[in-house]
Amino acid sequence: MPLDPLARKAVLEHPQALDCSVYRPDEKDEDAEELDLGEARLLMLGAFEAPLDWDARQREEYFGEEDPALFFSARIECLAAPLSKAFFTTESGDYVAVQPSQGEVVMYYVYDQEEDAEGSRYILIRDDEEL
C-alpha cells in the first residue's frame, strides 16, 4: 500500500502519540546487536481483539504461547522524511522501545502488520520483562 501522507501526518501529530525507537534484528547473525533504524512516533490504538469469526484453533495459532492480554494494536510512523536516507518502514519482526514516562521503557515486538483505510496497523506484543 502506498504511503498515505494524511495518515502519516495524523500519527505524527496526534497528541497521544509517543516517541519511540525502532530496532531490527540482524537476519544473518541472531546474536548480533539489533540495528537501530531510528526514531518514530507510536499511536497505541488499544488491546488487540481477535476477529469474532476466529475459532479456537485460529486463536491458538495466532497467539501461540503468548498471553493474549499482551497483544496491542498501534500505528507507527518514522520521523524522517519519506524520501530521505534515514526513512524506514516498520516491519514484522522489529522491536519498538517506547518511553511512556521518565525513567520507564516499554519494549514491544512487532508481531504482525495489516493494511486498512487509515494505513498500516501493527500488532505488537508487549515484553513484560523488567529492563
Side-chain angles (χ1 to χ4, degrees):
M1 182 174 224
L3 190 64
D4 180 345
L6 293 177
R8 176 176 155 70
K9 183 177 179 182
V11 172
L12 292 175
E13 294 180 357
H14 197 285
Q16 292 179 329
L18 300 169
D19 292 329
C20 65
S21 298
V22 180
Y23 301 92
R24 183 160 297 151
D26 185 327
E27 294 176 1
K28 297 177 183 135
D29 183 359
E30 62 185 49
D31 294 327
E33 191 81 16
E34 287 89 5
L35 174 65
D36 183 349
L37 296 180
E39 302 302 308
R41 299 273 289 163
L42 177 141
L43 179 60
M44 196 62 74
L45 302 175
F48 171 73
E49 295 184 25
L52 296 174
D53 62 343
W54 282 10
D55 62 24
R57 183 185 56 74
Q58 288 171 303
R59 288 175 188 274
E60 186 176 313
E61 285 177 4
Y62 194 83
F63 294 115
E65 304 272 326
E66 298 291 337
D67 179 353
L70 297 176
F71 285 68
F72 296 89
S73 295
R75 298 205 188 279
I76 304 170
E77 291 292 344
C78 176
L79 289 178
L83 297 177
S84 72
K85 186 175 180 175
F87 183 78
F88 63 89
T89 301
T90 305
E91 298 176 359
S92 295
D94 290 347
Y95 293 93
V96 180
V98 181
Q99 191 171 3
S101 63
Q102 190 65 26
E104 178 187 16
V105 176
V106 179
M107 292 297 297
Y108 293 93
Y109 173 72
V110 180
Y111 182 67
D112 202 0
Q113 176 185 356
E114 302 171 341
E115 297 295 328
D116 62 22
E118 297 172 35
S120 293
R121 183 172 69 109
Y122 297 92
I123 308 305
L124 310 178
I125 303 174
R126 182 182 171 138
D127 183 348
D128 59 355
E129 289 183 28
E130 289 289 319
L131 295 178

